Amino acid sequence: MKTMYKNIDGILRANRVVVLVVVTASSIAIIISALVSYRMYQETKGGAFAIGTDGSVIPLKWADQKENLEIEALAHLVLFHNYFYGIDASNYERNIEKALWLGDSSVDNVYRQKKADGVYNRLLQYSLVQKIFSVESELTLQEGIRSFRTVVVFEIYRGTVTDVYELKTSGKLIKVDRNFPNNAHGLLISNYFENSLRKVDDQR
C-alpha cells in the first residue's frame, strides 16, 4: 500500500509540475504577443496601408490632419457643386440624389425650393444642359468651425445659345462618419445658402 501511495504522490507531483510549466509558458506567450502587438500598433498608427494588385501590402504615410482636412473639404465642395448644378435632362435625378448625400436638410430645402420654382421642369421642357466651368471655395477652419464661401461659374446651353452665370453659395461643414461611396470624405454641408446669382458675359 505504501508503494501505491508513493506512486500516486509522484504522479500528482509530476502533474503539478506539468501544469505549472504549461501555465507559465502560456503566460509568457501571451505577454510576448501583447508586447509585439503594441509595438506594431505604435509603428503603424502614423501610417496606413493599401493592397496592391498583386496582393502586396503598400505602406502609405498619413498627411498632416489639418492639411488633409482642408484638401478633403475642398474636394467635397467641388463634388457637391458639380452634382447639384452640373445637370441635364438625363442625369439630374441621379446627380441630385448624390448631392443630397453630401448635405443636410438645408441642402434638401434648397432642392425643394428649386423644384417648386419649376427649375427642373424647365430643364426637361427645354432640354437645358448646365455645365460647371469652375468651383472656387474659401474655407475658414477655426475652433472646430468649418465654414465656406464658394463661387461657382456654370454655363446653360439652350440649343445654339449659351448663357454664363456666377453663383455664390455659403455654409458650414460638419464632420461625420465616412460612407462609401455616398459620402467618402466624411463631411456634411449644413446651413447651406445660395447667396447670389448673376448672369455674366462669356469672355472665355
Side-chain angles (χ1 to χ4, degrees):
M1 296 297 291
K2 289 183 179 180
T3 303
M4 183 184 299
Y5 287 128
K6 286 182 179 180
N7 290 340
I8 293 174
D9 185 61
I11 292 171
L12 292 175
R13 287 178 183 274
N15 286 343
R16 282 197 296 270
V17 172
V18 171
V19 170
L20 287 173
V21 170
V22 170
V23 170
T24 302
S26 299
S27 300
I28 292 173
I30 291 172
I31 293 171
I32 292 174
S33 298
L35 291 174
V36 170
S37 298
Y38 179 75
R39 183 178 177 183
M40 290 178 63
Y41 167 74
Q42 290 294 327
E43 291 177 351
T44 60
K45 70 178 181 178
F49 299 92
I51 305 299
T53 55
D54 59 348
S56 59
V57 178
I58 305 170
L60 302 173
K61 192 70 177 175
W62 282 352
D64 177 77
Q65 285 189 344
K66 184 176 180 180
E67 179 183 349
N68 191 52
L69 174 60
E70 184 175 352
I71 292 171
E72 290 208 72
L74 291 173
H76 188 84
L77 292 170
V78 169
L79 189 64
F80 167 76
H81 286 89
N82 272 281
Y83 280 148
F84 204 61
Y85 300 101
I87 55 178
D88 57 41
S90 64
N91 70 8
Y92 84 94
E93 290 182 329
R94 182 173 63 255
N95 279 13
I96 293 298
E97 181 181 358
K98 291 178 179 179
L100 292 177
W101 275 98
L102 307 179
D104 67 3
S105 59
S106 62
V107 173
D108 185 61
N109 290 338
V110 173
Y111 160 67
R112 291 179 184 277
Q113 185 60 52
K114 285 178 173 293
K115 188 174 181 180
D117 292 341
V119 171
Y120 305 112
N121 285 336
R122 289 193 294 273
L123 191 77
L124 295 172
Q125 183 177 357
Y126 300 107
S127 298
L128 302 180
V129 176
Q130 287 190 190
K131 183 179 179 181
I132 300 297
F133 181 75
S134 66
V135 178
E136 300 291 336
S137 297
E138 180 181 337
L139 298 174
T140 302
L141 307 175
Q142 58 182 8
E143 297 180 2
I145 299 175
R146 308 172 184 94
S147 59
F148 68 87
R149 291 185 177 275
T150 299
V151 177
V152 183
V153 177
F154 63 93
E155 300 169 329
I156 297 182
Y157 297 92
R158 295 182 291 111
T160 59
V161 178
T162 301
D163 296 322
V164 182
Y165 293 88
E166 180 188 82
L167 172 68
K168 293 183 179 180
T169 67
S170 64
K172 295 182 179 179
L173 292 171
I174 301 173
K175 190 75 174 173
V176 295
D177 290 336
R178 297 178 191 270
N179 185 323
F180 296 96
N182 298 315
N183 191 336
H185 295 113
L187 294 169
L188 198 68
I189 295 171
S190 66
N191 296 94
Y192 183 68
F193 292 100
E194 292 182 341
N195 299 305
S196 66
L197 175 67
R198 69 182 183 93
K199 188 175 180 180
V200 297
D201 295 330
D202 186 4
Q203 300 176 348
R204 295 187 298 282

